[in-house]
Every structure is written in C-alpha cells, then in structure tokens.
Amino acid sequence: MEKPPIVRLTGVTKRFDEVVAVDSLDLDIYQGEFLTLLGPSGCGKTTVLRLIAGFENLDEGELFMEEVRLNDMPPNKRGVNTVFQSYALFPHMTVFDNIAFGLKMKGYEKSRIASEVREALNIVKLEGLESRKPHQLSGGQQQRVAMARAIVNKPKVLLLDEPLSALDYRLRQEMQIELKRLHRQLGITFVFVTHDQEEAISMSDRIAVMNEGRIEQLGTPTEIYEEPANMFVARFVGEINVFDARVIEAAADSATVDIHGQQFKVQNRRDYKPGQNVSVLLRPEDLLVTRDEEELVSGPALAGTVEEVIYKGKTVDLIIKLDAGETVFVTQFFNEDEDNVLYREGQRIHLEWVYGWEVVL
Amino acid sequence: MARQSSFRNFAIGSTLLWISIFVIVPYAFVIVVSFLTRDADTNIRWIFTVENYRELVSPVFLEVCKESLWLAFGTTVLSLLAAYPFAYLLTRIPENVRRFLILLMIIPFWTSSLIRTYSLIILFKANGLVNTVLLALGLTDQPVELLYTQGAVFIGLVYALLPFMIMPLYSALQKMDRRLIEAARDLGARGWQIFFKIVLPITMPGIMAGCTMVFLPALGLFYIPDLVGGARTMLIGNYIKNQYLTTGNWPVGSAASVVLTVFLCLFLYGYYLSSRNAHTKQGVEGGLV
C-alpha cells in the first residue's frame, strides 16, 4: 500500500501506574481497510483503540490522523467514532434520540437531524423502531443502534471495541456478515478489536496480532494463519501441532530435519544451519493420516495410535498418541468417495504432510 | 418440607405480630382518639366528634403546614445539592478511601441524633466554635447570630438527613455504566451537557428515592427546629408534640398526626408511581419501593 496512512501511530506507549499497556507501538492504518487488533485479554488492544478514540492520553509517541497530530485533541474533534463493547446505548433515550445525539451536539437543524437519522436507520435496517427504548430491543438490534449512532456522524475511522462479544454464536455469525456489508457500503476505515481469532480471520483485510503491548505480527488473515511469524502467533491463531526437530542438512530453500528419528524435507526460508534446533509447526488439517491396515506409507512418517475420535459433522477430529510420546491433534475432512473413513480408538496409523505445508520456526 | 413451612410461618407470623403490636395497634389508637372529645382532666372523653379536624382548618395549622412543607422542601433541595457532588466523588475515588468516607458518614449514626443536635447548639451559640473562629479570623467584629434562625434549622435538618440522600444517589451513580459518559464524549457532548443529558436522567430514580427519604422525615422531625430553631419555626411535628405535651389536647394532636400520615402516604404513592414509570421506561433498578 503506497498511499499515506489515514491513522499513524509511532512509538506509542501507554502506562497504567507502572504497568505498560502499550509498548512503543508503530502502526499504519490505511483508508478504507478493515484492520483488526487481535490478542488475548490484557494485550493492550483495547488501549490502542481508546488512544485513537481519545479516551486515554499517550505517555510517549505520536498519533496522527491524515497527517494531523491528534495527541491532545478531544475525542469529538478527531473524526472517529466508537462502537462500544456492550454498546453503551443511552437507556433513557429512544432509538431515534440515541442516534441523533451526536448530530444534536453538533447543533444541526431538526429537519437535517431527522433525515440523517432516518438514513442511518435505513443503512442498519432498523426502520420503524425509532421510538423504542434500548431495553425493548434484542441484542442484535441494540448492536445495530450502536452502529447507527456512530456512523451517523460520518467518521473517517470507525472504532469497534469487541462489538460482537455480547451476542450468541449464531447472531454473531450474522452480525459478522452485516459488519462486512456495512464496511463495503460505507467505504470508511474500520478498526476492530477482538480476542476471537476466527472472527478476526473471517472479517479482516489485515490483522495485527498483539501480545504484551506489542504487535507480534501484522498481515493478511492468510499470512497470519499460514505463515505465523513466531510461536505466539502460531499458538494464538488456531490450533497447531509443534514438533521439536533438528536440522540435518540445509540448502538455499529447503532443508532436511529429524523428528523422532525420521527425516523430513522442509522449507528453509530462514536460512537454518545444520545442527540447529527448530520447531516444525503443522495445522491439524494439514496432517495426513494413513491407517496401517490400509496400505504402507512410502515416505517418512510418524507412527502412532488413535486415542480419541471426535465426530464433528463436517470433519472428524483425531487425538493421536505418537509412539515417541507426543500427543497430536488432527482434523480430517470426509472424503465423499470413500465411505469407510471410519477411525476407531486404538487404531495404528502413520502421520505425514505435503512438503511446503509446514512452518519452521 | 413441613419444617421449612413452619419456619416460614414463624418468620412471617412474628413479623406481623411485631408490626401489629408496635405499629398498627398504636396507630389505631391515634385514629380513634382523633375522633374523641378533649377533657382537661382525663385527656379524652369517649364522645364521637369531628370537631378536632375542623379545628385543624385554622390559619394557625395551615401556616404550620406551609412552614413545614417549605422547610422540608428546602431541606430536600439543600441535601440534594450537597449530596450529589459527594456521591459522585464517592464513585470516582479508590476503594479504600471510599470505605473510609462512608464509615465517616455512618459513625455519627451510632450516637443519638438528639445528642448530635445538641452538639450543633454548642457549635452555633454566640460564644460557640463557629463564632470563636470567625472572631479570631477577624471576619466579624461581634458574634453572628446563628442559633435560633431558620438557617440553623436548615443546617440541622440537612445534617441529620444527608446520609439518606447520599446513599441512594451513590447507589444510582455507582450502577451507571461509565462507558455511557465516554459514549457521550465520543459523540461531542461536553461537561455540563453530559451531566444534564446523560448522568442526571439516568440517576433520576436515585434522586427520587433520596428526596423521598429526606422530605418525608423532615416533615416530622420536631426536636431539631425546637432545639436549634428555638421553637420559633413550627413544623407539623412540633405542632403535634405541643398538642400532646404542652396543650394537653390529645384529640387535636391525633387529628394532626392522621393528616401528616395522609400527607406522607400521598407523597409515597406519588414516588411509587413515578419510580414504577421510570423502571418500566429505563429498565433501571433503584429506589426504595
């Protein structure tokens, strides 16, 4: 992305008493993107959002919005609006008054307020509920009012603080699609905070995975999932199996590693040298299971026994105990052509994977 | 099961018995006496009359009512103005300081309120603490008349009833979601706008509860105007006390008591209606009914 960022954070640090919540963080956010701050609770993601919103002041660093320094600017002058966790709708006001609040504060005329509120209600598909009070609405409807109350002010950047966490699973799926639609329709920049990695992966253009006040990795969902930059990202985003390995031979782009006495060919993107200890990471769905009774495996493979079979409908999850003692988690998709893909506990199997699907750290 | 229900019967029964003996029966006496005739020697004579109520429709009693309502109203407003900032402060300070402040507020309650009122006299009298300080600071040449003024009565009533205002306000403010204030700031509201458009309406149930809990007792607290007001201001409570103890006119005193009770019930009913309204409107809990 060559264009200048809409929001730029450089060396941003925020401390609460002596605890460093955000630690000299750099982040560029670009016009129109859907950027997610993802991390465990206490990683500083919400603090970053609150710094951009203006609810907290920076201790160090600079914060810019379209090249304008925001450090000491009050929240309402920043061109950002926030959708709060659990919405923070004004309980004593109707839906209309909630949405109109920001426009009234700007001193707009009544007729203009009415038409803009109506437009916002239309965008979030809540026409006809203007005179309800928040407690008369369902969770999903409250969520939409919170969205409308923010977007009616036409912010350049919309900040969303775990907006879906209060909804049940099905409604959350629905609202994820709805949020994506709004993002496309409005064309404004969304900065979204969540601890739910599935939510982050399915919605974002880019994800910043945060831990202890720092960004561990910044990239597209595919990059984050397929090419985790370090063990934290690998373990936080999705399930992953970690094998201890030792580099035997190393070439420019591939290497041979030893895992439990078996030699595997892996990619060598980080210039590992022979003798080095590395970790080979494999997602549960990237491992292939071959039953010993079925056929013999040709290449190197890890022998083990099926310990548990968890039928999931679309997939079947296997917990496998390797002969070397490790426990491995594997997800197998059903092969429609093969109707006897039935695993049972105690079955002897071998594990392998397609070269290139692994990540070596 | 049988045991549980016998315990339940015991609990409800003993409460009812208690209320009957100490509230309902005495009050029934008061109502009965209010319809009897006065007698100089035996206090009452068993002859039915409504003369006592007619006697209340006199300029004297109406003046007392007006004065009472004014004092109770003023006390309520002053308490609200004093309690609101303090209750707000309580919600913003660290837990341990807050506990300490609440303790400071409650400690005086372990002392008889009569004694606390006497301590106000010591503070306010011509050579009392307040005047001594004022004179020492050179703010005044001669002692300011504090005691036996309406101002002293207000101070005495507010002092006695302030905690009843603070607690419901504190509870309402504590329950309010802090993010609502951030949301209002986010949408461009500033200081007073946030207070009047968000905080005040949301804490309204607490305000109504506090006002009820100050206004109603203030109508009847007779000894504070007596002691610090020098019996110059007369409340309904004082009027009743005087009818019983000074004039010895039990039936008129009882009639005034009944009138006061009707007053209180009307106010409580009004509070009930408005708070029920607020509850259904906002889904906010708060208050004493």
Side-chain angles (χ1 to χ4, degrees):
Chain A
M1 297 195 202
E2 294 303 315
K3 43 186 182 175
I6 183 160
V7 178
R8 160 165 277 173
L9 290 85
T10 54
V12 168
T13 298
K14 176 69 190 174
R15 293 182 203 89
F16 292 110
D17 297 324
E18 286 312 299
V19 182
V20 181
V22 178
D23 191 0
S24 57
L25 180 128
D26 299 321
L27 177 63
D28 286 350
I29 302 168
Y30 294 94
Q31 165 59 42
E33 77 170 326
F34 193 126
L35 179 100
T36 297
L37 301 169
L38 171 68
S41 59
C43 71
K45 56 190 191 298
T46 296
T47 307
V48 171
L49 202 76
R50 294 173 58 82
L51 286 166
I52 300 174
F55 300 138
E56 308 283 355
N57 292 318
L58 299 83
D59 289 324
E60 283 164 36
E62 302 286 336
L63 173 61
F64 295 98
M65 164 80 113
E66 291 181 325
E67 316 281 310
V68 180
R69 191 166 177 275
L70 287 188
N71 287 36
D72 304 311
M73 202 177 277
N76 55 314
K77 299 258 171 68
R78 295 185 174 207
V80 302
N81 282 109
T82 305
V83 177
F84 290 84
Q85 191 173 10
S86 68
Y87 326 130
L89 298 177
F90 304 128
H92 57 297
M93 294 184 193
T94 61
V95 168
F96 183 95
D97 289 336
N98 262 283
I99 299 172
F101 192 84
L103 303 177
K104 281 183 187 159
M105 290 298 117
K106 283 181 193 151
Y108 286 2
E109 275 175 41
K110 273 208 167 131
S111 57
R112 182 173 173 195
I113 291 175
S115 77
E116 292 194 8
V117 169
R118 206 164 302 126
E119 193 190 320
L121 279 165
N122 185 28
I123 290 173
V124 299
K125 300 179 180 165
L126 272 186
E127 303 98 327
L129 298 181
E130 293 88 334
S131 50
R132 298 269 187 98
K133 289 278 179 76
H135 73 97
Q136 296 170 308
L137 302 176
S138 71
Q141 288 170 332
Q142 292 183 19
Q143 169 70 67
R144 286 165 197 264
V145 176
M147 287 294 299
R149 186 177 67 175
I151 61 176
V152 77
N153 300 289
K154 308 212 161 43
K156 291 172 193 145
V157 178
L158 186 66
L159 307 171
L160 302 107
D161 184 8
E162 307 227 15
L164 307 181
S165 61
L167 302 175
D168 64 40
Y169 182 75
R170 187 167 276 276
L171 202 51
R172 198 155 67 217
Q173 306 282 316
E174 235 174 77
M175 284 310 295
Q176 283 178 10
I177 296 166
E178 189 67 17
L179 272 181
K180 285 301 285 180
R181 179 185 68 81
L182 279 173
H183 178 242
R184 272 196 309 274
Q185 186 178 342
L186 299 168
I188 57 181
T189 312
F190 277 35
V191 181
F192 185 87
V193 161
T194 184
H195 63 269
D196 182 334
Q197 38 101 9
E198 269 179 56
E199 201 166 277
I201 286 173
S202 60
M203 297 176 75
S204 318
D205 294 323
R206 287 196 305 158
I207 299 173
V209 183
M210 288 189 63
N211 184 35
E212 293 179 345
R214 298 163 188 272
I215 293 179
E216 297 279 353
Q217 188 174 1
L218 178 64
T220 64
T222 322
E223 285 165 357
I224 299 283
Y225 191 78
E226 305 286 347
E227 301 290 337
N230 54 45
M231 289 301 277
F232 176 83
V233 176
R235 285 187 194 276
F236 188 76
V237 182
E239 297 273 352
I240 203 153
N241 296 297
V242 180
F243 298 100
D244 294 330
R246 192 178 181 81
V247 181
I248 308 274
E249 285 169 23
D253 56 356
S254 74
T256 306
V257 298
D258 177 295
I259 303 171
H260 303 318
Q262 296 278 330
Q263 299 199 347
F264 294 88
K265 188 184 174 203
V266 296
Q267 291 171 310
N268 187 9
R269 295 191 181 179
R270 298 184 180 215
D271 197 23
Y272 294 113
K273 298 278 182 283
Q276 224 175 321
N277 288 320
V278 295
S279 296
V280 174
L281 278 54
L282 282 151
R283 298 280 178 200
E285 64 274 20
D286 289 343
L287 283 164
L288 304 173
V289 181
T290 310
R291 286 169 294 164
D292 286 11
E293 65 199 42
E294 189 179 21
E295 58 198 282
L296 289 172
V297 280
S298 47
L302 299 167
T305 310
V306 176
E307 210 162 58
E308 214 161 320
V309 181
I310 304 149
Y311 177 72
K312 286 276 185 70
K314 269 184 292 194
T315 61
V316 59
D317 291 349
L318 304 174
I319 294 171
I320 288 161
K321 182 100 171 166
L322 294 185
D323 293 352
E326 263 176 285
T327 303
V328 179
F329 194 71
V330 183
T331 298
Q332 296 287 289
F333 290 89
F334 289 113
N335 187 343
E336 299 284 341
D337 304 330
E338 216 177 322
D339 50 12
N340 61 342
V341 188
L342 289 170
Y343 299 95
R344 50 173 206 281
E345 284 147 35
Q347 206 167 33
R348 293 288 302 161
I349 55 95
H350 274 82
L351 287 180
E352 56 191 334
W353 68 88
V354 175
Y355 167 73
W357 287 8
E358 77 288 341
V359 172
V360 186
L361 290 175
Chain B
M1 215 42 208
R3 240 214 198 137
Q4 262 187 8
S5 84
S6 68
F7 174 75
R8 213 182 65 153
N9 290 342
F10 172 75
I12 295 173
S14 59
T15 312
L16 275 179
L17 190 70
W18 182 270
I19 291 179
S20 306
I21 293 176
F22 294 102
V23 180
I24 298 177
V25 171
Y27 209 77
F29 281 151
V30 170
I31 295 174
V32 169
V33 169
S34 75
F35 290 104
L36 297 180
T37 310
R38 185 188 175 193
D39 183 279
D41 299 327
T42 58
N43 288 320
I44 46 171
R45 206 182 300 159
W46 289 81
I47 300 168
F48 177 84
T49 177
V50 290
E51 192 52 41
N52 305 314
Y53 287 95
R54 204 167 292 153
E55 196 168 314
L56 290 181
V57 195
S58 66
V60 179
F61 187 71
L62 289 179
E63 188 59 32
V64 167
C65 285
K66 216 176 80 187
E67 185 81 7
S68 281
L69 288 173
W70 158 244
L71 271 179
F73 174 78
T75 302
T76 307
V77 171
L78 290 174
S79 300
L80 181 61
L81 292 178
Y84 207 102
F86 181 73
Y88 183 72
L89 181 81
L90 277 182
T91 64
R92 301 305 310 272
I93 54 178
E95 181 70 30
N96 48 349
V97 186
R98 180 193 317 161
R99 284 211 194 117
F100 180 67
L101 285 179
I102 291 177
L103 186 73
L104 284 186
M105 193 177 77
I106 290 170
I107 283 176
F109 271 71
W110 296 335
T111 314
S112 151
S113 62
L114 203 55
I115 293 173
R116 281 186 286 129
T117 309
Y118 272 108
S119 71
L120 281 181
I121 298 178
I122 295 169
L123 285 176
F124 289 156
K125 62 185 179 183
N127 56 353
L129 184 67
V130 176
N131 270 318
T132 311
V133 171
L134 287 178
L135 288 168
L137 291 174
L139 291 170
T140 175
D141 299 334
Q142 45 190 336
V144 181
E145 194 192 349
L146 296 168
L147 205 55
Y148 309 136
T149 61
Q150 198 178 53
V153 176
F154 274 129
I155 292 175
L157 286 171
V158 170
Y159 172 63
L161 297 168
L162 192 62
F164 296 107
M165 183 65 92
I166 293 174
M167 288 326 285
L169 287 179
Y170 167 68
S171 150
L173 282 162
Q174 184 77 344
K175 258 184 292 184
M176 188 185 69
D177 186 354
R178 306 276 322 152
R179 270 183 303 233
L180 294 177
I181 293 175
E182 281 179 355
R185 275 177 68 200
D186 189 67
L187 297 167
R190 273 181 295 267
W192 288 111
Q193 286 174 318
I194 294 176
F195 179 74
F196 282 113
K197 290 191 185 299
I198 309 295
V199 180
L200 198 64
I202 287 173
T203 54
M204 199 46 93
I207 293 173
M208 291 193 303
C211 287
T212 311
M213 290 173 77
V214 169
F215 186 82
L216 299 188
L219 279 177
L221 270 180
F222 63 88
Y223 57 87
I224 291 176
D226 260 5
L227 293 175
V228 299
R232 248 191 275 173
T233 38
M234 197 185 263
L235 302 185
I236 302 183
N238 301 83
Y239 182 84
I240 295 169
K241 193 205 81 174
N242 289 345
Q243 293 303 320
Y244 275 104
L245 301 180
T246 316
T247 328
N249 194 344
W250 286 21
V252 169
S254 300
S257 293
V258 172
V259 169
L260 176 61
T261 310
V262 170
F263 259 146
L264 300 185
C265 289
L266 284 178
F267 280 120
L268 268 180
Y269 185 64
Y271 169 76
Y272 166 73
L273 285 184
S274 61
S275 74
R276 194 184 56 177
N277 213 3
H279 284 206
T280 51
K281 263 190 199 153
Q282 304 181 10
V284 177
E285 294 293 319
L288 81 197
V289 178

